[in-house]
Amino acid sequence: MKSFDYVRPATISDAVAAAAAPGSAYFAAGTNLLDLMKGGVSRPDRLVDITRLPGLDSVEALPDGGVRIGALVRNADLAHDPDFARSYPAVAEALLSGASAQLRNAATVGGNLLQRTRCAYFYDTASACNRREPGAGCDARDGENRLHAVLGWSDGCIATHPSDFCVPLVALDAVVEVEGRDGRREIAIEDLHRLPGATPDRESALEPGDLIVAIRLPAAAGAFSGHARYLKVRERTSYAFAVVSAAAVIRLEDGMIREARLALGGVAAKPWRARAAETILADARPGAAAFRQAAQAALADARPSGDNAYKIELTRRVVVRALTLAAAGTPERLPALPASPFSSAPGALLDD
């Protein structure tokens, strides 16, 4: 591991000033960053430790009915907060489907948003990777790419974003509060991550020194709590990243879908909001026909980036299953296998 300087600022403004210097990186739990540093993938000159900054480790109910989550709140603490899980069950289910219990106890929600891709070529410093070294090329294009993107990819990069947590946040219109050199601003979480285009190394909308201080969910997100699920297909049920995933939340009135939200994971370099599918579902009667039509719309622009055409059909089926689960209703208790298609939670096998 490369030698680095270590600083522990006492205030948010001091942290931003320290991290704005070239070669700096924020450090909290380090569950992703330390792995990257050990492998020589990330080589910061300075770590800015934000774990002691005040006011970033609480979950706060807002006067308008929304919720504000500090960036240093632990994944496990948020998922097991009973009020939060009751209001935003798909988010809690997504959190509990990620990593291991030990990692969830350490990892922070702010760090979860900014974790790097798990593409093997990104992690292998002997491979060409435009994310790691702009202009180097992308060895994944002609390599082992069965787990790579089917939406929004470019010739420069076909990697996917690994977060489970981000997927329902995008579906529920979450907002990120960011402190930067010019003060505080807000970014819709749907706009936080960038598609690769010609600049795969620019992974987010953040500028040097920008610090995520909180995530906010609007009051309207709670209206979906009765019909909200997150579904994740992975190569093993425990401790694995999504091959594909879907967050589906709907609002039913008089047996009809009045509003639906749908976001996909594991298919692109960012969590993918399926707005065309949402339009189809609005004012539709819940059932297999409407759900299949929505799934077709969600994947209408999908195309293989390599040996991964199967992911398109797999994602369609995950969308139908997630919508079926959501329509059946949020379980009173999260299943023993959160987000798993093998869960025995009520409604798991419903279809028509």
Side-chain angles (χ1 to χ4, degrees):
M1 184 186 292
K2 174 187 171 182
S3 297
F4 55 87
D5 294 331
Y6 170 86
V7 295
R8 195 173 73 190
T11 67
I12 291 175
S13 58
D14 288 345
V16 170
S24 299
Y26 284 118
F27 172 79
T31 54
N32 185 204
L33 177 61
L34 291 181
D35 283 344
L36 294 170
M37 292 173 65
K38 290 174 183 178
V41 179
S42 181
R43 297 172 57 82
D45 298 315
R46 170 193 287 182
L47 289 188
V48 181
D49 186 342
I50 60 172
T51 56
R52 307 293 179 88
L53 293 181
L56 302 185
D57 60 352
S58 61
V59 180
E60 175 188 0
L62 298 175
D64 65 358
V67 65
R68 185 178 186 270
I69 308 155
L72 293 181
V73 172
R74 306 290 176 174
N75 288 7
D77 290 340
L78 183 62
H80 291 295
D81 181 304
D83 291 333
F84 181 86
R86 191 161 35 247
S87 297
Y88 312 101
V91 182
E93 188 167 19
L95 282 168
L96 291 174
S97 75
S100 64
Q102 293 92 334
L103 285 173
R104 292 195 298 270
N105 287 338
T108 63
V109 297
N112 189 303
L113 301 188
L114 297 178
Q115 60 183 300
R116 311 289 297 277
T117 181
R118 262 54 183 193
C119 174
Y121 298 96
F122 172 74
Y123 271 79
D124 178 13
T125 56
S127 297
C129 175
N130 288 317
R131 281 181 181 248
R132 198 177 60 247
E133 183 182 350
C138 175
D139 277 352
R141 292 289 285 117
D142 296 312
E144 173 54 54
N145 47 34
R146 59 180 298 275
L147 299 178
H148 285 66
V150 294
L151 286 165
W153 57 271
S154 71
D155 288 336
C157 181
I158 60 173
T160 61
H161 191 266
S163 172
D164 294 295
F165 179 47
C166 284
V167 181
L169 291 181
V170 166
L172 294 171
D173 289 328
V175 171
V176 177
E177 296 181 15
V178 177
E179 187 79 18
R181 290 173 291 182
D182 297 324
R184 190 160 297 194
R185 69 187 193 278
E186 298 179 354
I187 303 173
I189 199 164
E190 188 177 2
D191 300 326
L192 177 64
H193 304 97
R194 293 166 51 98
L195 293 177
T199 55
D201 56 303
R202 295 191 61 192
E203 298 177 22
S204 78
L206 299 181
E207 301 294 336
D210 279 354
L211 174 64
I212 292 176
V213 296
I215 303 158
R216 288 204 323 271
L217 279 161
F224 298 100
S225 61
H227 296 274
R229 295 304 301 270
Y230 179 70
L231 185 63
K232 174 181 178 180
V233 173
R234 47 205 140 171
E235 292 192 320
R236 62 182 187 277
T237 299
S238 64
Y239 198 21
F241 297 98
V243 177
V244 301
S245 66
V249 300
I250 60 178
R251 185 169 57 83
L252 293 175
E253 289 182 4
D254 301 323
M256 304 293 286
I257 299 172
R258 295 307 176 199
E259 188 178 5
R261 306 277 186 84
L262 179 67
L264 311 177
V267 296
K270 60 183 291 183
W272 193 270
R273 182 75 177 266
R275 293 186 181 276
E278 294 174 2
T279 300
I280 287 171
L281 290 168
D283 296 321
R285 185 172 297 280
F291 297 160
R292 291 187 186 115
Q293 187 180 2
Q296 286 294 124
L299 279 297
D301 295 327
R303 57 192 179 100
S305 60
D307 186 25
N308 60 353
Y310 78 95
K311 286 186 76 168
I312 299 173
E313 178 58 25
L314 176 61
T315 307
R316 290 191 187 107
R317 297 185 182 208
V318 168
V319 167
V320 172
R321 184 71 171 272
L323 288 167
T324 301
L325 289 169
T330 305
E332 291 185 8
R333 299 181 61 185
L334 286 177
L337 299 174
S340 172
F342 301 109
S343 168
S344 58
L349 300 178
L350 291 180
D351 206 337
D352 64 7

